[in-house]
Amino acid sequence: MLTQLSLKRFKSWPETGPIALAPITGFFGANSSGKSSLLQALLLLKQTAESADRGQPLHFADKASLVDLGDLKTVAWGHQAAEGIELDLQWKLDAPMTIRDATERSTAMIESDSLGFSARVVLANGAEASPRTRVESMAYRIGSAQFGMRWAKPTEYALIVEGEPFPLVREVGRPPTLPPPSKCYGFPDEVRGRYQNAAFLTDLELALERCLKGAYYLGPLRASPERQYPWSGAQPADMGRAGERAVDALLASRDRKSTIFRGRGRRRATLEEYVAEWLKKLGLIHEFRVEALAEDSQLYRVLVRRSPKADEVLITDVGFGVSQVLPVLVLCFYVPEGSTVILEQPEIHLHPSVQSGLADVFIDAWRTRRVQVIVESHSEHLLRRLRRRVAEEGASADQVALYFCEAEAGESKLTRLAMDMFGNIENWPADFFGDELGEMAAMTQAAQKRRRRAG
């Protein structure tokens, strides 16, 4: 699970400070306040880890990217690419990582279930016209130790070892300087060749890659529903940026043996059953199923029944809300347990009552499958339901982190909402969701003037 994010000089954020990430984390605020940029920083790291180009420090964009960020100059705060950007991520491991003495394997030198990674990437040579980027520094943190690399000369790097005593033994005759890191987070092969006991550095890299691989993204614009869905047996890793693979995932889940816990004394549910139950709880439909057009056909259709007595119809013939929320539901309960789901404006095109219900979906995803949800939203209904569930003990206050983003003079600022165990927010920002009291007062004054005119 991701536990902390920090950014410096990233888009509209000169500096965020440490942002604590909870099982359910929500970023709220006005348009262009910097909310999406926080998610984009995570996606930038994820698509860099998935890129085949190991010589590129950060993978900003291509046709298959989760997010198109242009280049370093585009994302650097104030477009000051020579100053670069800094990304810092911290996460919790499923099991503690142990680093042992190379000579006495039975001796554990460092052990921790928490890892951190940071990198600073700048424009090479400070040349604004150059598209090349350079890793200024990168480092992993485990326990009180830090292992990384720092740029030393035009083409050479020095190894960083700080904190807990863990001496790296250099091979006699091997030079101390090293070539650049692989991407922004990988130690070059020469590190393992020049130091006798540096093999564990690979474990740190792999841990970061596993962490980023376990993050899944769904964008704000969802694919329109189709009358027919082709499926050839593929097992999608996610829903796609627009949720276009949601039906593929439902069909693929039929081949999986995993089921979802419904509660004590109840039969475990398949993914299709669980999604259908949630669509019904949200008040969108009464029944939901996916069927082949004919035996052995690779074409499928999604049928829904809006009420107990209504006829079954195609998903294309009901309100847009079903197709909008379907990828959200499937993603939360399809991804591997312990994953992180990143959602951008999941409430788009949804009725206020369904927006409220999304909070219950997120709580359930964490409760049943330990799926972390990080969401950027404008929905006051979603926020209110989260607060209510904390008050009702459906979720604890430390399981929900809520933030308010605002922009002043071109700089984004972040405030964590101080929520107590009763769901009360002690530092509620002024006009958080607009000036509701001002609107009501203006309406009352207008009504009084009209009555006076009428009298």
Side-chain angles (χ1 to χ4, degrees), residues 9 14 22 27 77 86 93 105 118 168-169 215 218 230 247 258-259 267 278 330 333 389 421:
R9 298 181 298 277
F27 296 105
W77 182 67
E86 293 183 39
L93 302 170
R105 295 297 298 167
S118 63
L168 290 178
V169 182
L218 181 62
V247 174
S258 60
T259 52
R267 179 180 62 83
W278 264 114
V330 177
F333 299 102
R389 292 305 185 228
M421 62 188 295

Side-chain angles (χ1 to χ4, degrees), residues 384-417:
R384 286 173 178 167
R385 179 61 61 83
L386 286 171
R387 294 172 59 200
R388 173 185 165 185
R389 292 305 185 228
V390 169
E392 295 173 340
E393 300 183 87
S396 62
D398 61 353
Q399 290 177 339
V400 180
L402 303 174
Y403 293 90
F404 175 67
C405 302
E406 57 185 331
E408 295 180 2
E411 295 184 13
S412 292
K413 297 182 179 180
L414 191 70
T415 301
R416 180 165 184 175
L417 301 180

Side-chain angles (χ1 to χ4, degrees), residues 129-370:
S130 171
R132 294 179 57 80
T133 55
R134 179 184 73 233
V135 179
E136 186 78 0
S137 63
M138 57 82 91
Y140 289 89
R141 302 182 302 277
I142 177 170
S144 61
Q146 181 170 275
F147 305 94
M149 299 180 69
R150 183 182 295 117
W151 181 69
K153 296 179 180 180
T155 58
E156 295 179 338
Y157 283 76
L159 197 64
I160 303 169
V161 180
E162 297 176 349
E164 293 188 33
F166 191 92
L168 290 178
V169 182
R170 185 157 55 94
E171 294 282 359
V172 177
R174 297 294 183 97
T177 55
L178 297 161
S182 173
K183 300 184 179 179
C184 68
Y185 64 85
F187 293 92
D189 293 337
E190 285 81 354
V191 172
R192 266 77 62 169
R194 294 180 188 179
Y195 293 88
Q196 297 175 12
N197 54 341
F200 71 90
L201 296 177
T202 301
D203 297 335
L204 300 176
E205 299 169 24
L206 292 175
L208 176 62
E209 289 181 342
R210 283 193 293 268
C211 169
L212 295 171
K213 183 180 180 181
Y216 300 85
Y217 170 69
L218 181 62
L221 302 177
R222 315 285 150 67
S224 298
E226 304 285 346
R227 292 191 171 275
Q228 298 178 0
Y229 291 89
W231 183 63
S232 59
Q235 300 277 332
D238 56 27
M239 301 304 100
R241 283 174 293 180
E244 65 273 15
R245 293 195 286 269
V247 174
D248 289 4
L250 283 171
L251 292 167
S253 71
R254 294 177 177 179
D255 295 332
R256 294 182 174 185
K257 295 182 180 180
S258 60
T259 52
I260 302 169
F261 179 68
R262 276 173 160 163
R264 186 173 297 177
R266 297 188 64 193
R267 179 180 62 83
R268 294 177 69 90
T270 65
L271 177 62
E272 281 183 78
E273 291 171 336
Y274 211 71
V275 167
E277 286 182 10
W278 264 114
L279 288 171
K280 186 175 181 179
K281 287 178 186 177
L282 293 171
L284 288 165
I285 57 171
H286 181 71
E287 290 181 6
F288 167 92
R289 65 189 181 94
V290 182
E291 70 167 18
L293 265 62
E295 189 175 352
D296 298 327
S297 173
Q298 291 186 334
L299 291 176
Y300 292 80
R301 60 181 183 174
V302 178
L303 294 167
V304 299
R305 195 187 302 274
R306 285 174 283 190
S307 65
K309 295 183 179 180
D311 294 329
E312 273 192 326
V313 296
L314 292 173
I315 192 173
T316 51
D317 299 327
V318 295
F320 208 52
V322 178
S323 60
Q324 289 296 289
V325 80
L326 182 63
V328 177
L329 294 173
V330 177
L331 185 61
C332 285
F333 299 102
Y334 176 80
V335 297
E337 292 190 12
S339 299
T340 295
V341 168
I342 301 171
L343 301 172
E344 200 169 351
Q345 297 182 47
E347 74 276 3
I348 287 181
H349 298 302
L350 297 181
H351 185 274
S353 66
V354 183
Q355 294 181 32
S356 297
L358 286 176
D360 294 324
V361 173
F362 302 156
I363 292 171
D364 189 43
W366 172 254
R367 180 180 59 84
T368 60
R369 310 187 67 246
R370 286 296 182 264

